[in-house]
């Protein structure tokens, strides 16, 4: 079983398995338009956590 979550701005999508391991990470091409690496890192982390929180309920 896998769960996928998307960041609110649609720039990041993360898929995790039932153990919470990241199996796929997708970055929209628009992420390269900004130089704010801290914001990107936070969006990736939050999206992975959101997917992991969905995974146990599947």
């Amino acid at each position: 079983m896998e769960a996928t979550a998307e960041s609110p701005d649609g720039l990041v999508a993360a898929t995790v398995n039932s153990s919470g391991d990241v199996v796929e990470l997708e970055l929209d091409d628009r992420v390269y338009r900004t130089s704010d690496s801290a914001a990107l890192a936070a969006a990736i982390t939050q999206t992975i956590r959101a997917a992991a929180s969905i995974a146990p309920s599947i």
Side-chain angles (χ1 to χ4, degrees):
M1 295 264 179
E2 296 179 345
T4 301
E6 188 173 295
S7 63
D9 58 9
L11 296 180
V12 179
T15 302
V16 300
N17 63 20
S18 58
S19 299
D21 300 320
V22 177
V23 295
E24 186 172 4
L25 181 65
E26 296 179 32
L27 302 177
D28 187 280
D29 289 340
R30 294 175 291 156
V31 300
Y32 302 109
R33 295 181 188 163
T34 181
S35 60
D36 190 352
S37 60
L40 176 58
I44 291 170
T45 301
Q46 291 168 351
T47 305
I48 291 171
R49 287 182 180 157
S53 72
I54 297 168
S57 64
I58 322 179

